[in-house]
Amino acid sequence: MNKRIRNRLLYGTAVVMAAAAVTYACKDFLDQPAQGTVDEQTLATKAGVEGTLIAAYRSLDCSSSSAGSWGCAASNWVWGSVTSDDAYKGSNLGDQQPINDIETYYWSVGIADDYINQKWSQVYDGVARANATLRLLTKVRLEKPGEISNADAARIRGEALFLRAHYHFEAYRMWGKVPYYYETDTDFRKANDLSADSVAKLVIADLDTAITLLPAVQGDKGRANAWTARAYKGRVQVYRGDYAGALVTLRNVQTAGPYALETSFDRVWTGFTTLRNGPETILAFQASVRDGEPSGWNSNWGERLNFPHSGSYFGCCGFHQPAFNLVNFYQVDAAGLPVAMTSSAWNTPVPDSNFAGGMIRPVDPRLDWTVGRDNVPYKDWGLHNRGWIRDASYSGPYSPKKNVHERGCAAPCTSAAENNVGWQASQTNDVNIHIFRYADMLLLLAEAEVEAGVLENARAIVNQIRERAGQVAQGCGFGSGGSVDSALVANYPSCADSTSMTVALVQNPTLDSVSTPWAQYRIGLYPGPWTVQATARQAVRYERRLELAMEGQRFFDLRRWGAADSTITNYLASERVRIPYLALAAPYTARYRYYPIPTVQIELSRVGTTDRLCQNQGWGGTPCP
Amino acid sequence: MKEAEGFMNQKIIRVGAALGIGLLFALTLSTTAVAQETQVSGTVTATSGEPLSGVTVQVRGTGSRTVTDANGKYSLTAPPDGVLLFALIGYKGAARTIAGRTTIDVGLEPAVAVLEPVIVTGYTSQRRADITGAVSSVNVESATQQTSTSVLQRLDGRVPGVQVENSGSPGSRTTVRIRGVSSFQNNDPLLIVDGTPVQDTYLNWLNPNEIGSVQVLKDASAASIYGSRASNGVIIIETKRGRAGQRQLSLDVRTGFATPVRGYDDILILDALDYFQVMKVATENAGLAVKRNIYGDPNNPSVPDYIWPNDGVNQSCTLSRPTCSGLRVDSASYAVTADGTRLIMPGSPGTNWWKAVFGTGQIRDANLAISGGGEDNAYHVSFNYLDQEGTAAFTRFQRGGVRVNTTFHVNKVTIGENIALSRDRSYGGLDDGALGEGNIVGKNIFQQPVVPIYDINGYYASGKAVGLSNLTNPLKIADAGQFNIATNDRIFGNIFGSLDAGRSVVLNSRLGFNLGQGSFHGFTATTPENSEVTAVDGINENYSLFTVWTWSNTLTFTRAMNQHNLNVLLGQAASQGTSRFEAGSCAGLLNTDVDSRYIQDALCDPTTKNVTSSGGKSALLSLFGKADYNYGERYYLNFTLRRDGSSRFGPTNRWGTFPAIGMGWRLSRESFLRNSTLFSNAMLRFGWGITGNEQIPSGRIVSQFGGDRGDTFYDIGGTSTTIRPGFKTTAIGNPNLKWEENRSVNVGVDLEFKEGRGTFSVDVYRRNTNNLLFDPRTPATAGSAAPPIINIGKMTNNGFDFSVGYRGQLGAVTQYSVNFNGSHYKNEIVEIDGVATFFFGPGIIRDQNPIINQVGAPIGSFYGLVANGYYRDSADAAPFFADGARPGRIKFVDQPTVLDTIACPAAPGCVGLYRPDGSITGADRAVIGSPHPDFVAGLDLSVRHGNWDFSATLFGTFGNEIFNTQKYWDVFRYFDTNVRKDRLANSWTPTNQDAKYPKLDASDTWSRQFSSYWVEDGSYVRLRTLQIGYSLPPAMIRWIPVARVYLQAENLFTITGYSGLDPSLPAASVFGAAGDIRDQFRGVDQGTYPSNKTITIGISTTF
């Protein structure tokens, strides 16, 4: 190689090396941080811990990261209501067919499996968020001792533990044998080798810790306080069948706690801002609208299908329709007590099977706060009519009502509770979803009193609830304007003068403020005393159904009472003549005590060739021992 | 700006059209040159150098002509300002101005394309014969016979081992896969356009007419010089450049018409009463009462005159029916109201919903190029305008572009640039090909036939009454989306300089840039006519901006000494990319007019305004070297070594090393073959190498935290106004992330026989991917954070690809060529690290997951229950009755899944120690199919007879399967959709046990479980292109030396057994936290925009 070539080679190599050196000189050239995100250290502050806790609350209802279907709803309307004798899936045959399978007890069909998985994913995301709060809190306390005061740290820890308990409780009452996750867990394929009752005990253990940590009063209405945790503990104790324990816990809440019943039943489920988080709220999903979220995710997302359909103001989608069986259950006798208490004929088909307004048959006034029926004002939206029902021949003529907001003003104004974005803004609202309310708790206490043989205490509670239920009935309301308004007045001329959504029930428990009433409301108190435990037990359970209907509790109640088999079997037997597709339901058997654990999660729990999660009995797979 | 651009686009087409018309006039005009004539002589050669005899040499505009002799020489007299035309059958014509010269030598290019002798293979060029890696060249000439907007879509069937998938939507995305699928995410090949790397699945900014050559580097020994990102293969595209000599102006204009290859009107019921019979039987079989609201008496149904919305009383009205007395329809009582109570439709005897949306789309394409050069410069400037209407209403793609390629030589320095400016616009917002159920091609095409397109007042109608489906009118969707415009502007290119340092040492420096900006404006209309109403309209718009620059510096050294030939390349490169994306939306428009669709407080509900932005940054540093050595063009050896550092990995794992080695042995130079009369060339090739993949989002080495207003924020104060920010882990990081590595071995043989007329090439390969990057789904107990990306396992692709070709001659004036190529690969997941042996695919379709990735099976395998006929009777269904089995429903196999050492193997159904669990559950799912073909083939035919030429390309894929999720609708009638024509006649009944479809049963959700019933053979053979051209004889047109008119057809016919619209499926647009994961969702038919049957006429001229 001659010198010139060598020189040129050297020269060229030098240029290349120099160019390389220039880029290498920027040592951080390859340090390109992630964009649009923060690291853990940024959140290692009080604000970060508080925000992480906020996210743990958010999992109480579906969120934008969890909602593939409506199995994640805070209200459990699919799991606790549609599967019970309270409600049908509603809508029409073709829509959301996984719920058809769930309603007719074909829980292992693939599409039902995915719906069940929604619920599983939702509650365990809640657990994960609660645990993340606990981990971050520990880290900040360790690294920045002064950052969070001891009081705040205790409160945050208490809230996170409470939420962890709640989410595990949801899993427990769905599936029984479920894995329990702590903030120290790193293996997310834990076996579900605890018995269902052991899971409930772990829930109680977390609640006990939360009780010691939480303050008695919280500034923010949405937060759990010590009383929330105590009340919740009583709930879990009742679910366990530990009535003695529950009696102690819940009597304490009853006597020393901050809760009370709302003054009237219409104030329990409401979109009126001034009435939200009243004395009856123990734990509710705090829905919000018009909060800058472009799709309305923070509204009552899980309930958004459950409005009257396209003939109505709301437009969609006609799900969660009350059952004939439920409507019939609101019939009362001359004393205003449930017909069902004294007559087995309460559910025999009535002459007008549609039970429309104007047919005077004495009913509990709670019927028209729970069920939308034809020719009865629908809160203050005018008369419910058949055009609001998506397919009455499929699932009956009724609409859900509790989750629906009030307009609160004369048409055409828009309710402040209503959203203004997303698909069908009129069916997303900020009505809080009650997860646990005081009447629910009182009735759980009543159960405990009955089991303890203190029947009069139980009667007092039931009467307290009935008295409240007798305060007001559905009134005329504004109507929704135009033709519907005129229909309201045409049907009930006195509504021309009365725009109040509520009408007082005084003395004579009929709707005496309008000349031609849509209903004869009557509700009486149980005259004392109760002496037969079985009768008392039945009265408490009946009251529970009347009070909490359509709130997603019923099926869980039936299962823990062990009453599911006969009730559901009877329900299907009578309801199939009204709702033909219920004739297709699978016979109700012992395996329905728990929902099947989602197959997909069992598969995801696989380590090597072993599934760490076992399946509940009767659902195939490798059954739990 | 938009208006100005549109105006410019229109102007270009007008100019193009004017030029075309001018040409036609020119045909008839001819004047005689009058000048002193001189003697001109010269030699005509082929581009390969050999002299050409029999070339007609003619003085334009005169009868003066001659023919070259056996040595290619000619001589004739001509005016000094005249033009000489050279023509020889089988070669492209040429024209040269005499310009006073007396000697004019001309090289003619073959008309039927043959392989270029020198091709670009990555930082350098190589002679075709010297390549030891698996490199395929694309027949660019043949590829121009297609009208697709992207060159990527024209690679289909032309290159062995390359698979192409796209939809018929104009400007749609393309999925190109080279030799199978080697990664769980991001399997797009690296594109090198004029030396600048880019990853782009659209490539719409690159005008296919400007492409000079396309090489596909398929194995690591060829591709590893691109080390990082090269594991999916490399496609090297060089645009046309000027050549020294006569200035050439070429104009290509074509226009055509496209129609869908198949429509739903071929598949679905068109008659309303026929559909009613399906509905009736399905309802009766479910034990439910048949609805009378639309068709009246089920035993004597009729199409009603009018259909009322659901007001609870009136649903339909046939004037002859007694119930209709007193009802009347007039427009005075009609209004579009928010609650839709007055939306009355005329009953339709049978709406053809397919024809309502799909029809004929026109294509117009004009290209103008000027190229030429002098001794120290070369230039190529081109203009392009393309306007392609979709076959679906209101869809359209437009592109306008300019390209400037120039080179200047100043002493030993060469500088130049390649720059393309382009703008493209898509109308209709349909660009991802797989449209799912939410768009015009998806389930919305399944409207019932009784629903009319328009209601009585001319507004769009839909299924408002009970029993009609709750779908949106597809024409309404298309109409509302017509101003949903996606605009992309691009500046792409590079500037380069090289220094010839003498003695075969050359220094090169190249700065490539890729600057893009995009925007989209979308509109969502209200749908008062729907059963499920959308009452609030809204707009959304977004803007994106990205910049990628790549600076590479190389040094090459070439040395030839006796028989020793050595090439050395040393180089270094740095690349950085940044992107930014901003999106905004607003709902409740004051005025829906397109001119009012802006996000402004006064124009929409200001409280719904929402703005977000996001961005990304990444960088790559590289050092590389390559040495090529051959001895006497007989023995070849080359080494490549590249080191890449990626910002996507942590400091300790940042750098990856990618070596490769290639060897070749030219047998035909050996004594035992040297005198072979059969083989003119025989080469054995071997290559081994490692390539890498780093295509994951930046910043995944650490956990990411954040939140979203709809996910983590919460109104903790309980007032509906106290929403507080919440945080969660949004993505779990993995500090140990490292490069995914792909090791490939390739053995190949190239043969040429009959003096190069026949060619045969075959490559056999094995590609092992290690440390696969992916984020498998974690159990839900881990929370909703994106799972960590981990180096998860191993995958192999084994296969071969080959091509065989022959160029021949029939008689004196007929040449032909035949090229056949075929390929096969077998993909298998070999190992998934960690605790699981599988993970599920990404897509849930209507609550079911059709995909699994599992050890031992190929990526993206179909997953579901195994269907085995139908339950014959109650006894047959009894074991699974409580789970939903019934006679006539699909029978599923209860797989042995439960370990039972006591009962097994004696118990019935045991396999080994496993027995069936007695339930049909998710545990009984198995791998039931694969989207991967067994064999893919392409056949290219070309015949030239005199001035006529004919060519055709056939494409075939065999053995691939399709998961037809459209069965949700057209078989299972989910959401009361329309169904296939033979659904009723071919359904199970007790006497028709072996039917094509299960029993019609409206409540049958059992049969609808994803199973092998959904999997169909996706094989097909398609006539991709057919072209007949006629080259106008030089004497015919005075000004135009070369003009060719042609008629071409694309996708004229398809042979397939697939029951859906089009077996040529685009891959769905599926993204996960690890990036683009469409390979886990291929072969899933979710309703696609079908391919187009396109007939085009065109003219190509050079003057």
Side-chain angles (χ1 to χ4, degrees), chain B residues 430 550 738:
Chain B
L430 310 174
T550 307
K738 58 188 176 191

Side-chain angles (χ1 to χ4, degrees), chain B residues 780-797:
Chain B
T781 44
S784 60
I789 299 175
I790 50 182
N791 294 96
I792 193 178
K794 294 179 180 170
M795 199 186 309
T796 64
N797 289 275

Side-chain angles (χ1 to χ4, degrees), chain B residues 893-899 904 909-917 923-924:
Chain B
V893 175
D894 186 13
Q895 306 277 5
T897 50
V898 179
L899 182 65
C904 284
C910 277
V911 172
L913 292 175
Y914 288 85
R915 63 163 173 80
D917 63 5
D924 296 308

